[in-house]
Amino acid sequence: MTQRLEELDLYHLDWDRPEFAADPYPEFEAARAKHPWLAKSSAGYVVFDLLAIRDLLVRDDQLRTSFDGVVDFMNAHGSAWGRFAEEQMIALPDREHQLLRDCFAAKFTPRYANQLRPLMRAEMERLLADWAPKGSFDFEEFASYYPVAVMARMIGAPLDDIPALRSSMETMGLAFSMDQSLLPALNMAMERLDQFVQQLVRQRRAAPHTAGERDLLDLLLEAGEEGGINDRQLADLLIFLFVAGYDTSKNVLTYTMQQMTLHPNIYARCADDEDYCRKVIEEALRMFTPASTFRATREEIVYRDVVIPKDTMLFFTLNVAGQMSKDIDKPHVFDPDRTVAPGARHVGFGLGKHMCLGQYIARAQLQEGLHLIARRMHEPRLTAEPGWRPFPGVWGIKGLPIAFAPAQD
């Protein structure tokens, strides 16, 4: 027997509270006690069950990205950030989105990601040379420099620009926490990033690289010219890659280190077994990913006997789904050697036609980073309780103070 969505007695997730961000799982368990896969929030309905997320997110013909709804909520129409939110590749209408994605997807292959591994190792080694001798620091701050440095090297940007880029991306990471007071800061961050990438493109066009020097920016410029992509779209793609790569790598690496302080045997093995780091990162992505995503229904749809009306805003909590699955044994336990059925695999990089373009680069970057950190920073331990970023935006640990034994050269 079907029921209409608005007739369901659903649990209200009060996710604007700091206490919710620090530990959302009891709230989601309370939601599941009232309904197996749905809850509600101040911004829309929430799909939290892993299987339901996997089933619904691939219905691209029935769901559309709803950045317009978020821009409405933030009262951001006509602003620098609002324009970007509505015009970035993931937000475009189907035909335009597919054109852009087809144009650039061929550049983001597993093979290309593997070719970048020496660059990733070099940047992590450079960071560790500066930070590891200290013996203690805020790991979240340390981790934040890694994806910025890698991306800067990938597109030939000066490393001197990293502090300003990092500051802007920290701000952009708060964009989807649904806090209207952040709009002035978001606009300022967006304008700084836009000026940076526009200047970079102009400089590269004025002084093209030779064949032996070609980097990701050269590949994107070439793909853009072949596909008829204009400079505005190219600049937005570069900004998106910076921000998305920063959020994923920094937050997942920080969460992984928190778990490693609880599992010293796993961490010690990461120093000796680089391939094992792949399993550790995949398990970290199962238990935590920084982003949730959202869609609006194009039409009335029926799923598991629930009738969902057209234009309903749905939030998909990818960030907690791996620990909210009854199809995974002991889902709250960190176990890199667990076997996960194909239908219960994590959704850290999304699903469907909007699946993350940079997933192979992110995975390689996290694996390389974890291995080198484990080699240089022994026996890490927390020196204070971590804080947490707001939920439901780009969620994650805010501040992870640790101490450790620096490796002896």
Side-chain angles (χ1 to χ4, degrees), residues 21 29 42 86 107 172 204 243 264 277 309 311 336 359 405:
E29 292 292 354
S42 58
E86 292 189 294
K107 310 301 179 185
M172 291 287 282
R204 184 61 57 86
V243 174
C277 293
D311 295 325
Q359 61 171 304

Side-chain angles (χ1 to χ4, degrees), residues 249-281:
S249 294
K250 187 257 292 189
N251 286 302
V252 173
L253 193 57
T254 301
Y255 178 82
T256 304
M257 176 52 78
Q258 183 208 33
Q259 288 296 313
M260 295 301 93
T261 65
L262 303 173
H263 300 90
N265 292 338
I266 292 174
Y267 183 68
R269 184 173 171 183
C270 288
D272 300 324
D273 187 346
E274 186 171 0
D275 188 60
Y276 184 64
C277 293
R278 177 187 58 79
K279 290 185 175 183
V280 173
I281 292 300

